[in-house]
Amino acid sequence: MTASISGTARVAGVAGSPIAHSLSPMIHNAWLNAAGLDGAYVPFAPSPAGFEAFIQGLRGGVITGLNITLPFKEAALALADAPTPAAQAAGAANLLLFAQDGTIIADNTDGIGLLAAFGEQAPGFDPTTAPVVILGAGGAARGAAAAFLAAGAPQVRVLNRTLARAESLAEALGSRVSPLPLSDAARALDGAGAVINATSAGLSDTGGFEVPLEATGADCVVMDMVYKPLVTPFLATAQALDRRTVDGLAMLIGQARPAFAAFFGQPPPAGVDVRALALKSLGQNERT
Ligand code: ATR
């Protein structure tokens, strides 16, 4: 992939299970190549039972760091010695850094990626002016809720099929979070500045998961963390209603930027269209 790997190359990677479909190696290596850096970014698929031993073996800076993806994000946070406030608030790490002294630092750049995606695709969106609705109460939803709270959202309404999970998320994140059942969606969407699908239901069209997006105001921004397909049924419904939409691919690239800087000591180079590369590898076209 890169012609510039020497014996002193900086090596980083991504760990998940499964990992074969991760776009992160393609994104980071495109940036490495364009910047002419002596480095590599490689995929790792430890078994769930072997994840802890794998991470412990990396203490001391064998590699500079790892992105962490499903199903290891919570376990990664638990293994780290020094979590950042972002990782603590999200209850999960998408980034581990291996310091020379053996310390493992856990961070989470998903929130930065989420807000960057809004900045890019819904310019002028202000998270401080109206409540934000988050669909789902798993790890992805908690990270999104934490990011919007940190960005100053006056209220985060967490809607989940299983209300108890939304309630425990609210308990973890404080009084600006309101847990609600999915049956309250129309009421929750009324007056919302943004609504984000953080459930895994969008992964298939057969989720049987209906959200009354017509209850949103004309200015409400609709986001789906799922990026395959790029325009999910949820985003297609929003577009049919003329709502501005934000896609999950913008978030994926947005979380990768600060990770690259942490691994390789400089921000990704400008002028590389990693979105086009990612779309090509997904077999998708840019939305029109
Ligand atoms: P992650 O950590 O990636 O967020 P997760 O913890 O498995 O994944 O959470 C998946 C989320 O999608 C949950 O909020 C789940 O709702 P429940 O807590 O009620 O299980 C939600 N979800 C998945 N499939 C769904 C469906 N068909 N309809 C509604 N919600 C769904």
Side-chain angles (χ1 to χ4, degrees):
M1 185 108 190
T2 170
S4 59
I5 298 177
S6 80
T8 56
R10 289 173 89 145
V11 179
V14 57
S17 182
I19 202 63
H21 299 293
S22 172
L23 294 174
S24 295
M26 194 268 305
I27 291 170
H28 285 269
N29 285 304
W31 282 332
L32 282 168
N33 278 341
L37 287 175
D38 185 13
Y41 182 100
V42 290
F44 296 101
S47 68
F51 179 71
E52 177 167 359
F54 169 67
I55 294 298
Q56 298 294 7
L58 297 171
R59 283 187 187 274
V62 175
I63 64 175
T64 59
L66 283 179
N67 278 124
I68 304 294
T69 187
L70 299 178
F72 299 130
K73 289 183 171 191
E74 282 87 3
L77 176 65
L79 284 170
D81 311 298
T84 63
Q88 274 172 319
N94 78 329
L95 178 62
L96 292 179
L97 297 171
F98 302 103
Q100 299 286 329
D101 68 1
T103 306
I104 302 177
I105 299 146
D107 199 358
N108 197 314
T109 63
D110 284 335
I112 295 173
L114 178 62
L115 294 166
F118 271 78
E120 209 176 285
Q121 299 188 338
F125 168 77
D126 181 351
T128 67
T129 54
V132 171
V133 173
I134 293 175
L135 306 171
R142 177 169 168 167
F148 276 103
L149 290 174
Q155 190 191 29
V156 176
R157 299 169 179 167
V158 174
L159 272 69
N160 200 43
R161 181 176 59 181
T162 311
L163 181 59
R165 286 188 87 191
E167 286 170 345
S168 52
L169 198 156
E171 218 164 277
L173 292 181
S175 59
R176 274 188 290 152
V177 178
S178 306
L180 293 162
L182 278 183
S183 52
D184 278 358
R187 202 160 54 91
L189 291 172
D190 187 25
V195 52
I196 294 128
N197 178 31
T199 71
S200 45
L203 289 172
S204 86
D205 285 1
T206 54
F209 177 52
E210 293 289 330
V211 180
L213 282 176
E214 61 281 359
T216 57
D219 292 338
C220 182
V221 179
V222 179
M223 197 262 176
D224 200 329
M225 289 195 182
V226 173
Y227 56 81
K228 192 172 184 174
L230 185 65
V231 180
T232 61
F234 186 62
L235 292 187
T237 305
Q239 286 173 359
L241 290 164
D242 264 341
R243 303 295 183 265
R244 290 200 291 170
T245 59
V246 175
D247 60 55
L249 186 56
M251 177 176 171
L252 180 79
I253 295 168
Q255 65 76 35
R257 284 199 183 93
F260 183 94
F263 296 144
F264 301 111
Q266 60 185 74
V272 189
D273 193 349
V274 287
R275 185 176 169 89
L277 294 172
L279 285 172
K280 196 170 164 211
S281 124
L282 288 168
Q284 300 273 309
N285 292 318
E286 188 57 88
R287 58 202 170 112
T288 47

